[in-house]
Amino acid sequence: MASYSKELEVAQLAVQRAAILTRKVFHEKAKGTISKDDASPVTIGDFGAQALIIHAIKKNFPDDQVVGEEEASSLRENQKLRDQIWALVDGTKLKDPEAEKILGGPIESIDAMLDAIDAGNSAGGNKGRIWALDPIDGTKGFLRGGQYAVCLALMVDGDVKVGVLGCPNLPVDDSVPLTAESGIDQTDAEGKGVLFAAVSGQGATSRPLGIAGLGKSQPIQMKEVKDISQATFCESVEAGHSSHGDQFEISKKLGISKPSVRMDSQAKYASIARGAGDIYLRLPVRADYQEKIWDHAAGDLIVREAGGEVTDTLGRRLDFSKGRTLAENKGVVAAPVAVHGHVLSAVKEVLAAKK
Ligand SMILES: Nc1ncnc2c1ncn2[C@@H]1O[C@H](COP(=O)(O)O)[C@@H](OP(=O)(O)O)[C@H]1O
Ligand SMILES: [Mg+2]
Ligand SMILES: [Mg+2]
Ligand SMILES: [Mg+2]
């Protein structure tokens, strides 16, 4: 079995470096936000983080492909935005020169930055080594002052082998349980920022999200759910991304009376993987929406390696081999292995009753 130790190190350092950039933008009022073709927002933080991460991947693994969420066409036309991003990218370094060297050093020029962003154009698929990158997942949360995540995963022949999530606004302490407020950034800068990682067959870990080399990691595991009615379930903040109504019906069926924890981004996967919460539900709002692979690849592996099961609403494993989207899946149901079947039955009953 391949160990993927080099890939894991590069991925974690690349996410950690990109998070230095996103944190800077998070604390600035002007985030250089523009609207994409699908009317969703993108910021200078998203572009900058994508450039830095793809640069590091290409320096280390020149033959690998990348499926990245963003592309640079709007920047090629907009010099002001481009210069703003370059100023950020050019000034972002890890404070450990050895770690910086592992990432292949800084990006050489503005053109190289734009090319790095556009190198995220792989069509994906079931052959070879392909990275899935979401430079800022939960951009709406990022703009609102909520949770967000820098997400990177390596797929080999369509199967996720390495997953890394940088969550700058989650508490470092794995044992802090989720509360209704967990989706909002807790303003105190101390003790927050977590780097989650998993390698297929090797378990999942967390460590503080630093600004130099990698801190000491510890294994994480999902919490045992003894009584499902006491479980904590997570869902998106955005009602346009998943059906709050269906998710409420499902939780009611499970006897859960606690309100859901609403949180942006794959911080939901990370939070249940470390046992701070128990269940993550993402029920489709539109029948024709195809989930993007970069919104799930890292979280799927981290949860499964922490003792969870992740399927769609029909009980199928998420299939990352179909291209840039999860074309063969509908929605997401993530829970500890021991209770996943029970949760899935409730999901199916609620969806059947709607028909
Ligand atoms: N109609 C829809 N259904 C499900 N997900 C959607 C959606 N429209 C956008 N999204 C995705 O939802 C992601 C955020 O998820 P969450 O609601 O869990 O924070 C977005 O990622 P980005 O923020 O990276 O664009 C985007 O890709
Ligand atoms: Mg987006
Ligand atoms: Mg996303
Ligand atoms: Mg994104």
Side-chain angles (χ1 to χ4, degrees), residues 69 134 136-138 294-295:
E69 181 184 357
D134 193 340
I136 293 183
D137 182 40
W294 54 80
D295 282 333

Side-chain angles (χ1 to χ4, degrees), residues 104-121:
I107 300 181
E108 297 81 5
S109 65
I110 296 187
D111 281 340
M113 174 184 83
L114 297 176
D115 290 345
I117 294 171
D118 277 338
N121 63 356

Side-chain angles (χ1 to χ4, degrees), residues 214-277:
L214 296 174
K216 197 178 165 324
S217 74
Q218 60 204 22
I220 54 168
Q221 253 167 354
M222 294 191 85
K223 207 167 62 219
E224 188 192 346
V225 177
K226 295 201 180 84
D227 173 359
I228 196 106
S229 72
Q230 299 305 308
T232 300
F233 94 90
C234 310
E235 62 183 356
S236 290
V237 175
E238 297 293 330
H241 295 174
S242 69
S243 170
H244 287 170
D246 290 349
Q247 284 144 205
F248 176 71
E249 290 302 322
I250 293 158
S251 70
K252 236 176 34 183
K253 215 168 244 317
L254 293 168
I256 297 174
S257 53
K258 257 190 293 186
S260 69
V261 175
R262 290 193 176 157
M263 184 180 273
D264 300 281
S265 84
Q266 292 188 58
K268 292 186 280 298
Y269 281 114
S271 294
I272 66 167
R274 78 202 305 206

Side-chain angles (χ1 to χ4, degrees), residues 42-54:
V42 59
T43 76
I44 52 175
D46 303 60
F47 289 120
Q50 175 148 330
L52 283 172
I53 291 173
I54 294 183

Side-chain angles (χ1 to χ4, degrees), residues 132-210:
L133 165 62
D134 193 340
I136 293 183
D137 182 40
T139 302
K140 288 179 177 165
F142 179 76
L143 291 166
R144 226 193 293 104
Q147 295 294 338
Y148 71 97
V150 179
C151 317
L152 182 61
L154 171 65
M155 307 181 304
V156 179
D157 299 335
D159 202 26
V160 187
K161 298 296 187 189
V162 179
V164 174
L165 290 174
C167 300
N169 293 336
L170 282 183
V172 169
D173 186 348
D174 289 322
S175 67
V176 177
L178 293 180
T179 66
E181 283 75 44
S182 297
I184 303 158
D185 176 40
Q186 316 287 303
T187 43
D188 178 9
E190 294 299 309
K192 105 186 160 166
V194 196
L195 188 61
F196 297 91
V199 176
S200 178
Q202 296 177 30
T205 61
S206 82
R207 48 164 45 100
L209 183 63

